[in-house]
Amino acid sequence: VQLQASGGGSVQTGGSLKLSCKASGRTFSDYAMGWFRRAPGKEREFVASVSWSGGAKYYGDSVKGRFTVSRDNAANTVYLHTNSLKPDDSAVYYCNAGTMKGVYYYPRYWGQGTQVTVSS
């Protein structure tokens, strides 16, 4: 699976961005999809995951209530709607395709990242 993320940028605190990740190469709906992020000097952090059908969604504690993950299987695209952004949300955001077992998500294929920068 090839994954192409886009939509990052620079915003002020409280702003919003919509990240997109378009997949190609294999049947998109065969995979759960997820988002991770990595800020300079920090560990990679789970952000969100969504099941193949879109019916199950899970979020990291730091983004719950502010970010929403969704997918459009007809368009082979997964989205991450980021709202009420804070400077701590600044990071490179990576989308990935993998499997979901219960509440656990296991990424397998990774795309290139898209930079999100939030200024105070």
Side-chain angles (χ1 to χ4, degrees), residues 50-92:
V50 57
S51 64
W52 70 271
S53 66
K57 301 177 182 181
Y58 301 96
Y59 298 92
D61 288 343
S62 62
V63 306
K64 280 181 183 175
R66 300 188 298 121
F67 291 12
T68 302
V69 63
S70 63
R71 66 188 295 163
D72 181 346
N73 286 346
N76 290 353
T77 302
V78 61
Y79 304 99
L80 185 68
H81 304 259
T82 67
N83 300 305
S84 302
L85 284 164
K86 309 172 184 178
D88 282 350
D89 294 317
S90 298
V92 177

Side-chain angles (χ1 to χ4, degrees), residues 1-4 22-28 30-31 76 109:
V1 177
Q2 290 78 50
L3 302 168
Q4 181 74 37
K22 187 168 180 63
S24 61
R26 292 202 177 192
T27 305
F28 181 68
D30 283 348
Y31 297 95
N76 290 353
Y109 302 101

Side-chain angles (χ1 to χ4, degrees), residues 3-9 17-23 35 76-82 92-95 111-116:
L3 302 168
Q4 181 74 37
S6 62
L17 285 172
K18 179 182 177 181
L19 308 185
S20 301
C21 177
K22 187 168 180 63
W35 292 91
N76 290 353
T77 302
V78 61
Y79 304 99
L80 185 68
H81 304 259
T82 67
V92 177
Y93 284 70
Y94 298 90
C95 67
Q112 97 295 349
T114 186
Q115 177 72 49
V116 171

